[in-house]
């Protein structure tokens, strides 16, 4: 039965809207016989009242035609008082007649300030009674009684209105808050009311995206933390609902959440190898955590092998850390991706490094060769020895301790590791030399290139 009532209310709403709003029916492609539906609505005033409420909630724009011989109706409205305190109740009564005779079992809608307050049914004498609450804060409110005949009824609509004077007290809110705070600090808001009223006061912080924080004032003070929001300009608003004879009130002001900008000093290499450690020196003031990105990809020690050969944007970003806002520093570096270089194209570059290195480190080179079991070496092995000797010569000059053939490569590397600007590069060169000179492993041209660039970082 409840489902039927709801369906009927929805369907009837499409028909009787005209009686409420007095609009004209638009023509439809095919007429629909709604006679049984109309009779059902007419026979049940409670259902008809539900339809009226539904119409007001949905605002459907639908009309129907009145019967050709509809009789005029007259409706009266009386209030039991000419004034009422805001939030108080007022009794409404009146009579619905047609040509001096009462019209019974008809629905009358009672509006308060253009909003539907209730719907009641006339009795056998055409009288209706209702009690509505004046929950508005306006000096004068119109109370309107509207008769809406059901579709097909032999009556015309009518309405009557009366003015109700509402008594209430104006109230005022005042805000006291800082115009700016440092990001991470609390915004302490003091709220005062005139006159003081026992009610909840909602304090909200908002920006262009909407409300970002809302709280209830504890007494007359609200505390808003700023650590969880972004720096910027915000609107601070306090609002209080109406409470009986006391009208609602609101107040607002602006507050700026200010963040400090850290400084990033970036010292990148001019050349980097994909897959190899990145010789990156970063200094932040103050000291903050940072992350490096190259070509939009995160760098964690070594460059991703997916970075192509060519110029790439290197970016270092600090994370937001109140009171410091996020910051970024960028630089352009040239990346060589060994996977994209043919061996013939990489070999001349490696040979150029080898020739330069052989001129720089002849004493250490002889010691390294003397420590090897093989005296006749391939071109790749010769170049590997040159890389290792250059690294040892560079660190030996810095440490004041030079390599001799009685030491293993690892023993010497441990002694000079503390003098290497990039220890990872040192161990990359040593590891590559051990595999190339003491096992069947044959390094690629790309690995030799990476080793030479690592020597430059030492």
């Amino acid at each position: 039965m409840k489902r039927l009532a709801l369906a009927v209310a929805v369907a009837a709403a499409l028909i009787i809207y005209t009686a409420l709003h007095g609009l004209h029916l638009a023509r439809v492609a095919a007429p629909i016989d709604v006679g049984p539906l109309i009779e059902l609505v007419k026979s049940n005033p409670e259902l008809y009242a539900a339809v009226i409420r539904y119409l007001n909630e949905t605002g459907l724009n639908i009309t129907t035609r009145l019967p050709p011989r509809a009789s005029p109706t007259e409706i009266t409205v009386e209030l039991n008082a000419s004034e009422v305190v805001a939030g108080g109740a007022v009794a409404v009564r009146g009579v619905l007649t047609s040509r001096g005779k009462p019209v019974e079992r008809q629905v009358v809608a009672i509006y308060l300030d253009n909003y539907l307050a209730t719907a009641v049914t006339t009795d056998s004498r055409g009288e209706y009674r209702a009690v509505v609450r004046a929950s508005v804060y306006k000096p004068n409110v119109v109370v309107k009684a509207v008769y809406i005949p059901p579709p097909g009824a032999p009556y015309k609509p009518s309405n009557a209105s009366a003015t109700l004077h509402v008594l209430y007290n104006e109230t005022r809110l005042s805000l006291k808050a800082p115009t700016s705070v440092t990001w991470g600090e609390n915004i302490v808001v003091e709220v005062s009311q005139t006159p003081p009223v026992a009610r909840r006061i909602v304090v909200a912080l908002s920006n262009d995206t909407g409300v970002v924080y809302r709280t209830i004032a504890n007494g007359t003070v609200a505390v808003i933390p700023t650590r969880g929001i972004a720096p910027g300009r915000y609107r601070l608003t306090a609002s209080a609902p109406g409470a009986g004879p006391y009208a609602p009130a609101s107040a607002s002001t602006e507050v700026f959440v200010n963040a400090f900008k850290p400084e990033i000093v970036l010292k990148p290499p001019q050349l980097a190898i994909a897959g190899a450690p990145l010789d990156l020196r970063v200094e932040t003031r103050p000291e903050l955590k940072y992350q490096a990105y190259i070509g939009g990809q995160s760098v964690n020690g070594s460059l991703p092998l997916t970075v192509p050969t060519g110029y790439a944007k290197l970016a270092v970003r600090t994370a937001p850390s109140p009171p410091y806002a996020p910051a970024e520093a960028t630089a352009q570096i040239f990346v060589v991706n060994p996977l994209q270089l043919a061996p013939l194209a990489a070999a001349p570059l490696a040979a150029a490094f080898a020739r330069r290195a052989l001129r720089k480190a002849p004493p250490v080179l002889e010691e390294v060769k003397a420590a090897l079991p093989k005296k006749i070496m391939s071109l790749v092995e010769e170049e590997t020895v040159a890389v290792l000797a250059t690294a040892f010569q560079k660190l030996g000059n810095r440490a004041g301790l030079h390599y001799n053939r009685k030491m293993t490569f690892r023993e010497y590397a441990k002694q000079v590791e503390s003098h290497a600007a990039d220890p990872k590069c040192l161990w990359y060169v040593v590891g590559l030399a051990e595999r190339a000179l003491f096992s069947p492993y044959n390094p690629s041209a790309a690995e030799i290139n990476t080793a030479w660039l690592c020597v430059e970082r030492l």
Side-chain angles (χ1 to χ4, degrees):
M1 181 62 184
K2 288 183 178 180
R3 292 184 178 179
L4 174 61
L6 178 60
V8 170
V10 174
L14 302 176
I15 304 166
I16 65 172
Y17 187 74
T18 181
L20 181 61
H21 293 279
L23 301 179
H24 297 288
L25 176 64
R27 293 182 178 274
V28 296
I32 301 173
D33 184 9
V34 294
L37 178 62
I38 292 173
E39 293 302 320
L40 178 60
V41 173
K42 288 169 61 178
S43 65
N44 191 334
E46 292 183 0
L47 178 60
Y48 186 47
V51 171
I52 292 175
R53 293 189 180 93
Y54 182 82
L55 288 170
N56 279 272
E57 292 173 0
T58 59
L60 295 175
N61 187 14
I62 301 164
T63 63
T64 187
R65 294 177 181 175
L66 295 173
R69 297 181 180 178
S71 299
T73 59
E74 298 82 29
I75 191 171
T76 62
V77 60
E78 295 179 10
L79 307 179
N80 70 331
S82 60
E83 60 183 25
V84 64
V85 176
V90 61
V92 184
R93 65 180 298 273
V95 180
L96 176 65
T97 59
S98 177
R99 303 186 190 278
K101 296 182 179 181
V103 180
E104 62 179 331
R105 294 181 58 79
Q106 297 296 308
V107 175
V108 175
I110 307 299
Y111 286 83
L112 186 66
D113 194 32
N114 292 324
Y115 290 95
L116 179 66
T118 187
V120 292
T121 305
T122 59
D123 59 17
S124 59
R125 294 175 296 182
E127 296 181 357
Y128 68 89
R129 289 177 175 81
V131 176
V132 296
R133 191 165 296 278
S135 299
V136 292
Y137 295 91
K138 291 183 177 181
N140 295 294
V141 176
V142 174
V143 180
K144 191 173 185 179
V146 179
Y147 167 56
I148 308 168
Y155 300 110
K156 294 181 180 181
S158 58
N159 65 80
S161 60
T163 300
L164 177 66
H165 184 58
V166 180
L167 304 175
Y168 61 93
N169 298 316
E170 292 283 355
T171 62
R172 184 169 58 88
L173 291 183
S174 298
L175 285 180
K176 183 180 180 182
T179 57
S180 66
V181 296
T182 300
W183 190 30
E185 295 180 347
N186 292 333
I187 303 174
V188 180
V189 186
E190 296 182 21
V191 185
S192 59
Q193 300 186 74
T194 306
V197 182
R199 54 183 171 178
R200 297 192 339 158
I201 300 175
V202 178
V203 180
L205 196 67
S206 60
N207 57 12
D208 293 338
T209 62
V211 176
V212 298
Y213 192 88
R214 181 183 284 110
T215 187
I216 304 298
N218 182 13
T220 57
V221 176
V223 178
I224 300 178
T226 63
R227 183 171 290 272
I229 64 176
R233 189 175 301 279
Y234 291 88
R235 176 155 291 277
L236 185 65
T237 304
S239 57
Y246 297 98
S250 64
S252 65
T253 187
E254 284 193 343
V255 59
F256 189 81
V257 179
N258 183 44
F260 298 110
K261 188 172 183 179
E263 182 182 357
I264 302 177
V265 179
L266 177 60
K267 297 179 180 179
Q270 294 183 345
L271 182 67
I273 301 296
L278 178 64
D279 183 20
L280 177 62
R281 300 180 185 181
V282 179
E283 181 182 351
T284 64
R285 301 171 187 154
E287 186 174 347
L288 298 171
K289 292 183 179 180
Y290 63 86
Q291 179 63 52
Y293 300 87
I294 188 163
Q297 302 180 61
S298 177
V299 177
N300 294 311
S302 299
L303 289 186
L305 285 170
T306 52
V307 179
T309 298
Y311 283 101
K313 178 184 177 181
L314 174 67
V316 172
R317 300 169 189 157
T318 61
S321 179
Y324 297 98
E328 179 181 274
T330 61
Q332 286 275 51
I333 65 171
F334 189 81
V335 177
V336 175
N337 191 323
L339 300 179
Q340 295 181 330
L341 297 178
L344 291 178
L349 179 62
F353 276 115
R355 287 193 296 271
R356 184 175 64 178
L358 289 173
R359 290 195 298 269
K360 288 184 177 179
V364 177
L365 179 64
E366 294 303 320
E367 288 293 316
V368 171
K369 284 185 176 182
L372 299 176
K374 294 194 301 182
K375 303 304 177 184
I376 301 176
M377 294 181 288
S378 67
L379 179 62
V380 172
E381 291 172 333
E382 287 277 3
E383 191 169 353
T384 304
V385 171
V387 175
L388 183 67
T390 305
F392 282 0
Q393 180 73 47
K394 196 173 191 178
L395 294 177
N397 292 339
R398 195 176 300 161
L401 174 66
H402 292 284
Y403 175 79
N404 67 71
R405 67 194 71 183
K406 295 180 181 180
M407 302 179 187
T408 66
F409 298 157
R410 285 184 173 270
E411 287 174 342
Y412 181 71
K414 287 181 180 179
Q415 294 189 46
V416 297
E417 180 181 11
S418 61
H419 297 277
D422 191 340
K424 290 182 180 179
C425 271
L426 171 62
W427 290 108
Y428 179 84
V429 172
V430 171
L432 184 66
E434 288 178 337
R435 287 184 294 161
L437 302 173
F438 296 98
S439 77
Y441 182 75
N442 194 30
S444 66
E447 289 176 305
I448 297 295
N449 281 343
T450 301
W452 280 115
L453 289 169
C454 266
V455 170
E456 294 294 319
R457 297 193 188 102
L458 293 176

